[in-house]
């Protein structure tokens, strides 16, 4: 049954814990962490009381900047039980992007770890908030971020100016379970519960406001299409900061009483080891992840016979990769989900019962409770089946809007409640959708959505850059790579490495152009508009990317 109203994320967890108290909810094999649904709910409630002790009110924005650590999952459900809105921060963000998010989102509390790979989160937040070094925890008064008062560190250190996770839990002992129950019972399913930043065509990301109804409805629909139940164990190597991880992953498990088996960061060997050790029945991933897992399986054998299903999504799914995953990884019921953050995120999905031909060649049909149509972008009129047009969706899953951006919201959702995705597609006679292109000027690299305008705005700050045009070019590994065509100011010279070095540490690594070409000008239309499709064609020819350009996707 799909709930389209009347249930919050907190209610969903209560339902799972009541129906399956002894079933495993959350497992981290490397940490020797195993929580039953009863223990998981108790742990979430302890964190929720800690949040209330920090003074966090219903509707308040709190952010989490961390890889897939256990505390992330606890925060997801604990914040929902208190009525807070969890703002998810991309783990690849550098100071330039973090500063914008903290200013725009009105976050009052930031949770963070020490960092990932070469990213030092403690150093970055201290650079942005020099006041941290001299303030008491909970008393931050940052010039750049007047709303931000609490920073909570997840880890073994005790950085100056920050609470530790354990200190927050200890403070929560002062809040009674009855106070938490009263808070949870006061919440409305139409309240915001999550905010995720998606890159914007205006050059700056937009905060997508998602409600309990949005996320719970989507999780229940996804669980139904996956045929998920308490006997399922889902390996989750996709990041929690995207809807793929925290809706199609954790929330879908709770919606069905299944077991969450996350990986803190993606590693194909660790994925296969986890599937074998934990006898996972399902595995999620973007195409790039499955490609690298298949490469590992060519060299080394792992027992993946327990696998049954999972979702491939996040970027166009190559048909040949889908077939190999079915054959080599035993994922006979693997499915594709299509959507976007603004749709919580699922819009269409193939079903486990669909023939393999349908599951590799389409992105499925509408999820339960969701309407989908294809319209002429010029007129807005629905086109006949078999004709290309813009994909539009309507239903419980459509976002509340973009935070503090009413004009952008109105541009995305029309007066009749239809979300205009900016994606082009064809719907067949049976309602199955095939993605054919994009109206939006967006690059999808390994599951990360990148708007060229954001990179262009940043590169304009380079003192030698006169003009820049960024496009996506085909890639066998990532689906697309970023390429920048740069016009330099008169008398200036530069190298691609110099431009890349300028980007390092300031924008996320996945946004740094893989290819850079210095050009005297750009192909334009009669009225002077740059023809980016011609730049893409030029790049395919000059870089010899013909094989990648020919890959068929669903």
């Amino acid at each position: 049954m799909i709930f389209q109203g009347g249930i919050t994320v907190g209610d969903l967890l209560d339902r799972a814990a009541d129906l399956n108290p002894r079933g495993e909810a959350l497992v981290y094999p490397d940490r020797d962490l195993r929580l039953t649904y009863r223990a998981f709910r108790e742990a979430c409630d302890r964190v929720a009381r800690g949040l209330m002790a920090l003074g966090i009110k219903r509707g308040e924005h709190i952010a989490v900047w961390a890889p897939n650590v256990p505390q992330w999952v606890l925060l997801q459900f604990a914040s929902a039980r208190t009525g807070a809105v969890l703002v998810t921060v991309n783990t690849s963000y550098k100071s330039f992007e973090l500063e914008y998010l903290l200013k725009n989102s009105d976050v009052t509390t930031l949770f963070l770890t020490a960092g990932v790979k070469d990213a030092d989160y403690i150093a970055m937040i201290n650079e942005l908030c020099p006041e941290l070094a001299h303030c008491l925890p909970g008393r931050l008064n940052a010039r750049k971020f007047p709303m931000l008062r609490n920073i909570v560190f997840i880890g073994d250190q005790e950085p100056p100016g920050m609470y530790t996770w354990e200190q927050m839990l200890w403070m929560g002992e002062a809040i009674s379970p009855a106070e938490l129950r009263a808070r949870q019972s006061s919440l409305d399913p139409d309240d915001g519960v999550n905010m995720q930043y998606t890159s914007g065509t205006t050059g700056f990301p937009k905060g997508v406001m998602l409600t309990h109804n949005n996320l719970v409805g989507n999780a229940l629909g996804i669980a139904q299409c996956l045929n998920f139940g308490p006997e399922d164990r889902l390996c989750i190597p996709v990041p929690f900061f995207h809807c793929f991880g925290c809706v199609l992953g954790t929330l879908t498990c709770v919606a069905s009483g299944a077991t969450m088996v996350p990986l803190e960061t993606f590693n194909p060997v660790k994925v296969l080891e986890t599937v074998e050790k934990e006898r996972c029945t399902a595995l999620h991933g973007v195409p790039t992840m499955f490609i690298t897992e298949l490469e590992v399986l060519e060299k080394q054998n792992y027992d993946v016979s327990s696998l049954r299903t999972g979702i491939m999504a996040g970027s166009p799914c190559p048909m040949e990769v889908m077939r190999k995953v079915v054959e080599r990884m035993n994922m006979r019921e693997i499915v594709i989900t299509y959507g976007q953050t603004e749709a919580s995120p699922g819009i269409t999905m193939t079903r486990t019962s669909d023939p393999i031909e349908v599951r590799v060649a389409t992105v499925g049909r509408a999820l339960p409770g969701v309407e989908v149509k294809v319209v002429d972008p010029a007129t807005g009129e629905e086109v006949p089946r078999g004709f290309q047009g813009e994909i539009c969706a309507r239903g419980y899953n459509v976002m509340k809007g973009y935070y503090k951006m009413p004009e952008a919201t109105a541009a995305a959702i029309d007066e009749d409640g239809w979300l205009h995705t900016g994606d082009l597609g064809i719907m067949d006679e049976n309602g199955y959708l095939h993605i054919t292109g994009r109206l939006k000027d967006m690059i999808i690299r390994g599951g990360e959505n990148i708007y060229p305008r954001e990179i262009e705005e940043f590169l304009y700050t380079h003192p030698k850059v006169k003009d820049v045009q960024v496009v996506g070019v085909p890639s066998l590994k990532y689906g697309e790579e970023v390429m920048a065509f740069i016009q330099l100011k008169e008398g200036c010279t530069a190298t691609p490495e110099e431009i890349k070095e300028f980007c390092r540490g300031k924008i996320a690594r996945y946004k740094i152009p893989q290819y850079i070409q210095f050009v005297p000008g750009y192909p334009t239309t009669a009225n002077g508009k740059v023809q980016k499709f011609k730049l893409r064609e030029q790049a395919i020819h000059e870089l010899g990317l013909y094989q990648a350009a020919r890959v068929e996707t669903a």
Side-chain angles (χ1 to χ4, degrees), residues 96 455-465 486 495-507 512-513 516:
F96 179 80
I455 303 170
E456 290 164 358
E457 293 282 357
F458 175 73
L459 289 176
Y460 278 129
T461 67
H462 192 290
K464 294 181 180 180
V465 171
I486 295 174
T495 65
E497 185 52 39
E498 179 184 340
I499 300 296
K500 291 181 183 181
E501 187 57 38
F502 178 75
C503 296
R504 289 187 187 109
K506 298 189 185 77
I507 61 174
I512 298 174
I516 293 170

Side-chain angles (χ1 to χ4, degrees), residues 146-157:
M147 299 284 285
L148 186 62
R149 65 174 186 268
N150 300 310
I151 297 185
V152 181
F153 183 72
I154 300 169
D156 298 329
Q157 304 172 51

